[in-house]
Amino acid sequence: DAGVIQSPRHEVTEMGQEVTLRCKPISGHNSLFWYRQTMMRGLELLIYFNNNVPIDDSGMPEDRFSAKMPNASFSTLKIQPSEPRDSAVYFCASSPPGTLYEQYFGPGTRLTVT
Amino acid sequence: GENVEQHPSTLSVQEGDSAVIKCTYSDSASNYFPWYKQELGKRPQLIIDIRSNVGEKKDQRIAVTLNKTAKHFSLHITETQPEDSAVYFCAANSNSGGSNYKLTFGKGTLLTVNP
């Protein structure tokens, strides 16, 4: 089992540029979560999907952030335009059906916006 | 929404001693309480969880206790080892969008085990 896969692992970009983060959940998992981790705010849920449908996006900071899950094996988190305050580690996690909430995290993408 | 408070923020113990981390939550409907361990530069990893129908769960050197009346739960690590050094996060689930899958995390506890 390859676990949750995220790409890229590191991203450095300039303010104003578009950033796309990618996630492949564990095969068979039907829930997917995007988190952001910073020293100041800790681990925050941005959005989560169940069976490819967005269930709760109330954690998405603003309209510059968007997320999609076109199929059960792929999701993207896009920031356009990016700002220095978006610098953080972004984690994707997935959860299998019927297990009641157990979430398995990917390795994360460290984003730096200069 | 759910609010999870975690204490202490840092904890330093000697190898072999026990470590206890405590969390409180606000949503009385929460029924799932996981603990994650995050080593420096790594992903959070689920180490143990407890559901509201039990008061205690143990797995080798780690145990969790839950007091639903008081809305608090704790992580206990016995016979600590240097490899236990990491940041530990507690979390509680809450209803969001009609499901209970949303986890709210505490701010974390940096545990240092000194050899």
Side-chain angles (χ1 to χ4, degrees):
Chain A
D1 189 345
V4 176
I5 298 171
Q6 291 187 246
S7 64
R9 296 293 307 277
H10 302 272
E11 177 80 33
V12 180
T13 191
E14 292 184 347
M15 182 174 63
Q17 297 298 306
E18 177 179 296
V19 175
T20 299
L21 312 181
R22 297 172 176 80
C23 175
K24 177 179 169 55
I26 295 172
S27 177
H29 286 198
N30 70 336
S31 294
L32 183 140
F33 308 81
W34 282 101
Y35 289 91
R36 179 173 66 178
Q37 186 175 41
T38 62
M39 287 296 293
M40 291 297 294
R41 300 176 67 88
L43 200 56
E44 302 175 280
L45 177 66
L46 300 178
I47 185 171
Y48 80 91
F49 296 84
N50 186 246
N51 293 323
N52 311 338
V53 176
I55 302 299
D56 182 1
D57 65 355
S58 61
M60 296 286 261
E62 46 199 274
D63 292 346
R64 297 185 297 106
F65 286 69
S66 63
K68 294 181 180 179
M69 191 164 186
N71 57 62
S73 58
F74 183 66
S75 177
T76 59
L77 178 67
K78 185 178 293 186
I79 309 173
Q80 166 63 17
S82 57
E83 297 183 3
R85 59 193 168 121
D86 301 330
S87 297
V89 180
Y90 291 81
F91 287 103
C92 175
S94 69
S95 183
T99 60
L100 292 181
Y101 328 127
E102 296 172 12
Q103 296 183 21
Y104 298 89
F105 282 73
T109 296
R110 181 173 295 277
L111 173 65
T112 303
V113 183
T114 60
Chain B
E2 176 72 279
N3 183 48
V4 176
E5 300 283 340
Q6 183 172 348
H7 299 280
S9 56
T10 61
L11 179 59
S12 182
V13 300
Q14 288 299 121
E15 183 176 359
D17 287 350
S18 295
V20 180
I21 302 170
K22 298 181 179 181
C23 290
T24 61
Y25 62 98
S26 61
D27 188 349
S28 57
S30 296
N31 61 355
Y32 175 68
F33 308 91
W35 287 87
Y36 284 81
K37 175 184 180 181
Q38 186 177 27
E39 298 176 358
L40 186 63
K42 300 291 181 63
R43 74 190 77 188
Q45 290 193 296
L46 178 66
I47 56 171
I48 195 167
D49 57 20
I50 191 167
R51 301 173 200 277
S52 62
N53 57 343
V54 297
E56 184 172 359
K57 183 177 179 180
K58 196 172 183 179
D59 183 4
Q60 299 183 342
R61 294 187 297 109
I62 59 174
V64 290
T65 59
L66 171 64
N67 183 328
K68 284 221 74 180
T69 302
K71 292 190 209 161
H72 65 71
F73 56 113
S74 301
L75 176 70
H76 304 251
I77 306 174
T78 59
E79 301 172 25
T80 54
Q81 301 167 3
E83 51 265 38
D84 294 330
S85 297
V87 178
Y88 291 81
F89 294 93
C90 63
N93 73 317
S94 59
N95 187 278
S96 171
S99 74
N100 289 324
Y101 293 103
K102 180 175 182 177
L103 291 181
T104 300
F105 285 82
K107 288 289 191 282
T109 296
L110 174 60
L111 173 64
T112 303
V113 180
N114 301 301

